[in-house]
Amino acid sequence: MNKHFEDTRYYLKRAGETAKRGISEELEPLQERVAELTGGEEEPEPSRLEEVRADLKELQGRAEGEAEKAIGKARERLGRGEGEDNS
């Protein structure tokens, strides 16, 4: 790569990083004010998270059971089809 392009890429990267830091500094008071007005960030209740996990585990079990039944039925149908003469 041409030396000029390497230099340009370097300075563009630095400019982007500097702009990001500047924007963060400018928005920091606004973020603090919003957090103050909304009561800050609250963690989700652990009991709710556990409830969702339990629901997902139950759904996974049901889906696995239904899949096993469907596979069993398909195997049964294929097994019956193999012994029959289709001529």
Side-chain angles (χ1 to χ4, degrees):
M1 184 182 292
N2 186 325
K3 174 80 170 129
H4 298 291
F5 289 123
E6 289 176 4
D7 289 348
T8 301
R9 195 171 109 206
Y10 170 79
Y11 287 113
L12 283 174
K13 180 180 174 188
R14 290 280 311 266
E17 291 170 353
T18 304
K20 181 180 175 184
R21 282 195 305 268
I23 290 171
S24 295
E25 286 180 23
E26 288 293 318
L27 292 179
E28 190 174 340
L30 181 60
Q31 289 175 327
E32 290 173 2
R33 179 74 174 138
V34 168
E36 182 182 308
L37 291 174
T38 60
E41 294 182 24
E42 296 180 14
E43 295 287 327
E45 296 179 15
S47 60
R48 177 66 182 143
L49 180 60
E50 292 169 5
E51 183 180 324
V52 169
R53 283 185 179 157
D55 289 345
L56 289 173
K57 188 83 168 168
E58 180 184 340
L59 287 172
Q60 179 183 4
R62 262 195 265 159
E64 288 173 354
E66 290 176 11
E68 288 175 2
K69 286 180 187 177
I71 290 170
K73 286 182 182 180
R75 285 184 178 158
E76 186 179 306
R77 289 180 186 161
L78 289 173
R80 276 188 277 160
E82 289 176 4
E84 296 177 1
D85 187 20
N86 294 336
S87 22

